[in-house]
Amino acid sequence: MHIDTTVTEAELAWQEQALCAQTGPDFFFPDPGSSVREAKRICRLCDMRSACLAYALDNDERFGVWGGLSEKERQSLRREKVSRSA
């Protein structure tokens, strides 16, 4: 069975308003072991944070800071959701 996972332009409209679009990817996709503190600070100021996090969770984004959470934090959030629904 094929599931269409195509994301429409309307679903990505939040990206144009996100603060990360104005700062570039370096803060949000740092080298391994680098700090994500600055990315999280920018995310806290961004009105698109919840849409960004929802996108990352829905699309299983595994790298970078999305919606103010690191890869490990999103992974923990996914595990919490799975354990609550079990």
Side-chain angles (χ1 to χ4, degrees):
M1 180 167 104
H2 173 72
I3 299 174
D4 185 12
T5 58
T6 305
V7 180
T8 66
E9 285 185 40
E11 291 172 311
L12 297 179
W14 61 268
Q15 290 182 351
E16 294 176 10
Q17 298 174 14
L19 291 178
C20 60
Q22 301 165 30
T23 58
D26 293 341
F27 291 121
F28 302 93
F29 296 95
D31 292 329
S34 296
S35 175
V36 295
R37 185 176 302 137
E38 186 64 20
K40 288 182 173 190
R41 185 187 70 75
I42 293 168
C43 288
R44 280 193 302 273
L45 300 172
C46 184
D47 293 336
M48 300 295 112
R49 182 177 175 187
S50 60
C52 178
L53 180 57
Y55 173 84
L57 295 172
D58 291 347
N59 292 282
D60 198 24
E61 289 290 346
R62 301 208 178 192
F63 301 100
V65 175
W66 290 81
L69 299 182
S70 68
E71 298 99 333
K72 289 181 181 181
E73 292 166 329
R74 289 191 310 278
Q75 187 178 39
S76 293
L77 187 60
R78 280 188 206 97
R79 277 194 226 121
E80 287 176 25
K81 286 183 177 185
V82 168
S83 67
R84 278 191 234 143
S85 64

